[in-house]
Amino acid sequence: MIEARFQTFDDSSERAASAARVAVLRAELKRRGLDGFVVPRADRQQNEYLPASEERLAWLTGFTGSAGAAIVLAERAALFVDGRYTVQAAAQVDAKVFAIEHLVENPPDKWLEQNLKSDVKLGYDPWLHTADNAEKLRNACANAGAALVPVDDNPIDALWSDRPAPPAGPVSLHDLKLAGESATDKLQRIRAELAKLRADLLLVSDPQNVAWAFNIRGADVAHTPLALAFAAVPREGRPMLYVDGGKLDNRVRHALEEFADVRSPDDLVRDLRALKDQTVRLDQASAADALTRLITNSGGKAVRAVDPIALMKATKNQAEISGSRAAHKRDGVAMVRFLAWLEREALSGKLTEIDAVAALEGFRRDSGVLKDVSFPTIAGSGPNGAIVHYRVTKGSNRTIGKNELFLVDSGAQYEDGTTDITRTVAVGAPTDEMRDRFTRVLKGHIAIATAVFPEGTSGAQLDPLARMALWQAGLDFDHGTGHGVGSYLSVHEGPARISKLGTVALKRGMILSNEPGYYKAGAYGIRIENLLLVIAAPAPQGAEKQLNAFETLTLAPIDRRLIDTRMLNAKERNWIDGYHARVVELLGPLLDAPTRAWLDAAAKPL
């Protein structure tokens, strides 16, 4: 029986309830003396995947995407989403209640300047906004002659009568063989960095960074093994870990208390109020505005910048790199089994998107070591493939049709590594246009995979390589080319990325995705994604700079039926053939005979 255990297909959008909820929110705001309120999709630590108890934006608007914000004023309201979610938002949100705005082109601060009346009091929850975001909102209000007002308790929480309980997942220790470095050694490196930064204390607000620094994992967040914990690392003295004691068994508590003080989350506010005259480093990407306010109001100095742990975590050590290679080999077997099964079953006309999602998860579970999927699988047939972050539900579930494209973007969480892969396959005969677009996306993918670049190169400098073949035809895609990936942590990891906004230099040991795409609304979507490891490149004679390159970690064939070989040059053809030969070499011995035969045919030279 095909079943999914790590993801569901229920439509969790509550669009029909949003009008009534906005009405009661407006009444509650009026009672509090406020004229409006900002509702970000966020929790106190700016997690990408939120516990159900923190999904305030979804509760209010019906929108269930992973990024967005809403503003509710007395007479109008707006929902802000980026290019990944414009189609989804239109389907999930009541247009009579919310205008849908582009999060990048017309962000909330810009919208406020255009729509706020003078003397308006706009409320916000300082625990759900970073200080930088709050400052943008405050400036926008000031420019409109209005005021941004912090609230002590969130008005939505007062109205959300059936709000789920906070998560209470157990904390586990991440094995040193997989982590590659002890927590005490990591903390010593962090202290050394604090000395260079002339900071007295680092307040760690990103639970990914807490997990990495203390070598722990948790179960509070879907698809990402995180404990919702804070930490404080002083330049001198023992670090403090703020975590619900109910999540720790005796073994875990004892191991942590050997090098850290384990405290209740309720102690965090009290301890911050005692930091008079101390310089505290805060992560500008995840630290709540409330934390900055607590420190400064207590006489401390809050310095908002990049958490130094982020770059340490992004640069994988040899144990983590070995683990990732092993995880991708295991994941490649599951993907090949899935792709062979899909080719056999899809032409029957009976296979649905949900069937495909459940089957792929099942092939991964067959490994015996799957911990979770790394995000809800995106499986879009035909026009659903054009929705960049499509999540199939029982209501949207579509039969995979003949002569269509099927896009499947998925990933896995194994203790030794996190994976993320997208393949687009033809079901039946593709059109010439489909093959043209697919080949242009493939050319961009190969351009990134084969790039050689000097030390210090940023993702923004590489991003155009992925788009060039599309640009030449007047085409593009409205998302980044690649994101960082954690080591049994978040599938979307900062600070490095390959995108127009990726300013962080790519360093050896970083793992990033390579996923250009093309999306024709109402027709089909194309994306080809592999994960890459930044490695040293051989230096040619006379080189004056150190050079880096990429090693492709992901192992699964790319659909040859969609490639127009006339559009490829010799280098690109050689890359495809070389990649496929490597897939066969590494995965072939691990497959049963029928699947091996399928792979040999799917990966034969162009």
Side-chain angles (χ1 to χ4, degrees), residues 44-45 54 127 166-169 171 203-205 207 210 216 220 227-232 240-248 253 256 261-273 290-291 294:
R44 291 187 168 202
Q45 295 170 285
E54 301 295 319
W127 280 103
V171 173
L203 181 58
V204 189
S205 52
V210 175
I216 58 173
D220 285 340
L228 296 182
F230 289 86
M240 289 144 285
L241 177 66
Y242 299 91
V243 62
D244 183 348
K247 300 176 182 180
L248 308 177
R253 178 181 285 276
L256 291 171
D261 293 341
V262 178
R263 301 187 180 183
S264 165
D266 294 336
D267 294 332
L268 178 62
V269 171
R270 182 201 66 193
D271 290 351
L272 290 179
R273 285 177 174 155
L291 297 173
L294 278 167

Side-chain angles (χ1 to χ4, degrees), residues 6-7 49 221-225 372-376 413 489-491:
F6 294 113
Q7 47 200 323
Y49 295 110
V221 180
H223 314 307
T224 310
D372 201 342
V373 294
S374 55
F375 57 96
Q413 291 284 11
L489 279 172
S490 176
V491 73

Side-chain angles (χ1 to χ4, degrees), residues 223-367:
H223 314 307
T224 310
L226 295 177
L228 296 182
F230 289 86
V233 182
R235 190 168 62 190
E236 298 178 359
R238 284 167 65 85
M240 289 144 285
L241 177 66
Y242 299 91
V243 62
D244 183 348
K247 300 176 182 180
L248 308 177
D249 63 25
N250 290 337
R251 173 176 168 270
V252 172
R253 178 181 285 276
H254 176 73
L256 291 171
E257 286 180 340
E258 287 186 353
F259 61 87
D261 293 341
V262 178
R263 301 187 180 183
S264 165
D266 294 336
D267 294 332
L268 178 62
V269 171
R270 182 201 66 193
D271 290 351
L272 290 179
R273 285 177 174 155
L275 294 177
K276 185 178 181 180
D277 299 327
Q278 291 200 44
T279 298
V280 181
R281 179 94 171 192
L282 292 164
D283 178 25
Q284 62 186 14
S286 66
D289 185 46
L291 297 173
T292 297
R293 293 163 60 86
L294 278 167
I295 294 165
T296 55
N297 291 343
S298 302
K301 180 182 178 182
V303 178
R304 306 194 307 263
V306 175
D307 184 337
I309 294 175
L311 192 57
M312 298 179 189
K313 172 169 56 67
T315 309
K316 310 299 186 284
N317 58 43
Q318 284 305 309
E320 292 169 321
I321 291 170
S322 296
S324 184
R325 288 179 177 137
H328 278 91
K329 195 172 181 179
R330 183 185 313 121
D331 207 56
V333 169
M335 278 300 303
V336 170
R337 291 181 65 204
F338 166 75
L339 291 170
W341 169 87
L342 182 70
E343 186 168 306
R344 291 194 309 269
E345 300 293 330
L347 287 175
S348 70
K350 299 178 181 179
L351 198 66
T352 70
E353 294 167 336
I354 288 179
D355 293 334
V357 172
L360 178 50
E361 183 186 308
F363 286 123
R364 285 187 164 117
R365 287 201 311 270
D366 286 346
S367 69

Side-chain angles (χ1 to χ4, degrees), residues 324-340 414 421 423 530 552-558 578-600 602-603:
S324 184
R325 288 179 177 137
H328 278 91
K329 195 172 181 179
R330 183 185 313 121
D331 207 56
V333 169
M335 278 300 303
V336 170
R337 291 181 65 204
F338 166 75
L339 291 170
Y414 306 103
I421 173 176
R423 288 296 182 265
N530 288 339
T552 296
L553 297 171
T554 306
L555 299 168
I558 295 167
Y579 175 69
H580 279 160
R582 183 165 164 261
V583 170
V584 171
E585 177 188 1
L586 293 177
L587 301 187
L590 306 175
L591 300 170
D592 60 82
T595 307
R596 170 64 190 262
W598 177 89
L599 177 60
D600 287 341

Side-chain angles (χ1 to χ4, degrees), residues 114-271:
Q114 299 167 347
N115 290 276
L116 279 185
K117 297 179 181 178
S118 60
D119 298 325
V120 160
K121 292 181 179 179
L122 180 69
Y124 83 110
D125 185 339
W127 280 103
L128 302 182
H129 296 261
T130 65
D132 288 352
N133 182 244
E135 191 171 321
K136 289 180 181 178
L137 296 175
R138 193 173 295 112
N139 290 338
C141 288
N143 291 339
L148 185 69
V149 181
V151 299
D152 293 328
D153 61 303
N154 196 300
I156 289 179
D157 296 351
L159 303 171
W160 193 354
S161 58
D162 58 348
R163 184 184 176 199
V171 173
S172 59
L173 302 174
H174 192 48
D175 196 300
L176 180 59
K177 291 185 295 184
L178 300 174
E181 184 180 10
S182 69
T184 52
D185 286 346
K186 290 178 178 179
L187 290 163
Q188 188 58 39
R189 282 209 283 149
I190 295 167
R191 292 189 190 97
E193 193 63 27
L194 286 178
K196 294 178 186 176
L197 297 170
R198 298 183 179 180
D200 298 303
L201 182 137
L202 173 67
L203 181 58
V204 189
S205 52
D206 186 338
Q208 298 179 55
N209 293 349
V210 175
W212 180 86
F214 289 79
N215 279 346
I216 58 173
R217 298 296 186 266
D220 285 340
V221 180
H223 314 307
T224 310
L226 295 177
L228 296 182
F230 289 86
V233 182
R235 190 168 62 190
E236 298 178 359
R238 284 167 65 85
M240 289 144 285
L241 177 66
Y242 299 91
V243 62
D244 183 348
K247 300 176 182 180
L248 308 177
D249 63 25
N250 290 337
R251 173 176 168 270
V252 172
R253 178 181 285 276
H254 176 73
L256 291 171
E257 286 180 340
E258 287 186 353
F259 61 87
D261 293 341
V262 178
R263 301 187 180 183
S264 165
D266 294 336
D267 294 332
L268 178 62
V269 171
R270 182 201 66 193
D271 290 351

